[in-house]
Amino acid sequence: MIDFHSHILPAMDDGSRNIEESLQMLRMLQEQGVERVIATPHFYADENPPDVFLRRRADAWEHLRAHLTQGLPHVLLGAEVHYFQGISRTAQVRQLCIQDTGVLLLEMPFSGWSSRTVEDLAALAQQQEMTVVLAHVERYLPDQPRALWPKLRRMGILFQCNASFFLDWRTKHRAVKMLRNREIDILGSDCHGVSYRPPRLDEAAKFICRHAGNEALSRLEDCSRKLIGTDR
């Protein structure tokens, strides 16, 4: 499996607090059958410019890499980029794509989006050699009109959801319905720690296979592999 959304880098954001917790999280992912994990620390444009963020990320990764052992999931560096007005006109945003790809994991506002925001998102999605993936799309559903989602998909925007979407009794039925309707493209843990928001990809994978079928899980995996250029 591939974990497309995680906060495993030490002391970068509200995720892993230190190297030991990062290693524990990676061991948990290993036990769950995860082969690759994308480290996506939060990027907020009003806190750090991209060059400062990338230096911090590189330092965190170097500290963690020195302690990695054989068998742990392979780590790719990325970011969970919080939307800001004018993002489509910011050339540096390409530096925040997932390592060696043109894939941008984008966190949208947790409120209704203005027409200007949607236009900005559309302009970002239309940029050549860039694929926009909306992080944990289930969090935005209540605040947006239903007609928006097929519109975004027609733009080529992909939807990532968290494992918890399939495991919470309040949302799991909607998650299965969306998956069956091919309205979810990518699965991630969005793990933040060992105790607080731990990785639960194995539980989500088993639930998906039981309620949507093995083919649905394979479809999620195939999309993730295609985006990061990894064969089975």
Side-chain angles (χ1 to χ4, degrees), residues 53-67:
F53 170 84
L54 292 172
R55 283 200 300 271
R56 290 183 58 235
R57 190 185 70 178
D59 289 343
W61 169 234
E62 287 303 317
H63 287 129
L64 176 59
R65 184 164 65 173
H67 294 81

Side-chain angles (χ1 to χ4, degrees), residues 9 49 62 66 83 107 112 114 123 125 181 195 205 215 222-223:
L9 292 184
E62 287 303 317
Y83 172 83
E107 181 181 48
S114 68
N181 291 338
S195 300
E215 187 273 337
D222 288 345
C223 184

Side-chain angles (χ1 to χ4, degrees), residues 30-67:
Q30 179 186 11
E31 292 171 359
Q32 294 176 24
V34 173
E35 302 163 359
R36 291 173 177 80
V37 55
I38 302 173
T40 52
H42 289 287
F43 170 80
Y44 298 104
D46 58 351
E47 292 183 1
N48 294 130
D51 57 337
V52 173
F53 170 84
L54 292 172
R55 283 200 300 271
R56 290 183 58 235
R57 190 185 70 178
D59 289 343
W61 169 234
E62 287 303 317
H63 287 129
L64 176 59
R65 184 164 65 173
H67 294 81

Side-chain angles (χ1 to χ4, degrees), residues 8-10 16 18-24 26 37 39 57-69 72 75 77:
I8 61 165
L9 292 184
S16 171
N18 49 51
I19 289 173
E20 181 52 40
E21 185 165 32
S22 295
L23 292 172
Q24 287 181 274
L26 286 169
V37 55
R57 190 185 70 178
D59 289 343
W61 169 234
E62 287 303 317
H63 287 129
L64 176 59
R65 184 164 65 173
H67 294 81
L68 297 181
T69 56
L72 291 177
V75 178
L77 300 180

Side-chain angles (χ1 to χ4, degrees), residues 11-228:
M12 271 294 294
D13 54 14
D14 58 344
S16 171
R17 295 164 295 178
N18 49 51
I19 289 173
E20 181 52 40
E21 185 165 32
S22 295
L23 292 172
Q24 287 181 274
M25 292 167 72
L26 286 169
R27 293 186 196 108
M28 293 172 72
L29 288 167
Q30 179 186 11
E31 292 171 359
Q32 294 176 24
V34 173
E35 302 163 359
R36 291 173 177 80
V37 55
I38 302 173
T40 52
H42 289 287
F43 170 80
Y44 298 104
D46 58 351
E47 292 183 1
N48 294 130
D51 57 337
V52 173
F53 170 84
L54 292 172
R55 283 200 300 271
R56 290 183 58 235
R57 190 185 70 178
D59 289 343
W61 169 234
E62 287 303 317
H63 287 129
L64 176 59
R65 184 164 65 173
H67 294 81
L68 297 181
T69 56
Q70 189 173 3
L72 291 177
H74 177 71
V75 178
L76 291 174
L77 300 180
E80 181 181 3
V81 179
H82 187 73
Y83 172 83
F84 56 92
Q85 201 73 52
I87 189 172
S88 64
R89 300 185 298 278
T90 305
Q92 286 181 303
V93 76
R94 289 182 176 273
Q95 300 174 34
L96 303 172
C97 289
I98 295 168
Q99 179 180 338
D100 299 326
T101 76
V103 179
L104 184 73
L105 185 66
L106 185 64
E107 181 181 48
M108 295 299 292
F110 299 116
S111 60
W113 305 340
S114 68
S115 58
R116 184 179 177 186
T117 296
V118 174
E119 290 169 3
D120 202 18
L121 180 56
L124 183 66
Q126 290 167 5
Q127 294 189 18
Q128 292 185 351
E129 300 180 356
M130 179 179 287
T131 301
V132 175
V133 176
L134 296 192
H136 41 59
V137 69
E138 66 273 14
R139 297 188 186 178
Y140 319 128
L141 295 175
D143 298 311
Q144 313 306 328
R146 289 188 178 185
L148 176 62
W149 305 111
K151 178 180 178 181
L152 296 181
R153 296 188 71 80
R154 288 193 295 271
M155 297 175 189
I157 294 173
L158 301 179
F159 297 164
Q160 178 258 317
C161 78
N162 290 350
S164 58
F165 191 35
F166 291 94
L167 301 175
D168 189 321
W169 64 270
R170 295 166 295 185
T171 61
K172 61 184 181 181
H173 297 297
R174 183 170 193 177
V176 169
K177 182 178 180 180
M178 289 181 65
L179 184 58
R180 287 175 174 167
N181 291 338
R182 297 177 180 256
E183 296 170 338
I184 296 172
D185 304 292
I186 301 159
L187 185 66
S189 71
D190 196 9
C191 57
H192 278 62
V194 173
S195 300
Y196 171 68
R197 293 171 66 177
R200 300 176 67 191
L201 277 180
D202 57 341
E203 296 176 60
K206 291 174 183 175
F207 181 88
I208 288 169
C209 288
R210 282 199 308 270
H211 297 278
N214 293 341
E215 187 273 337
L217 181 63
S218 296
R219 192 167 66 245
L220 297 175
E221 282 292 296
D222 288 345
C223 184
S224 293
R225 292 181 186 279
K226 181 179 179 180
L227 287 173
I228 65 173

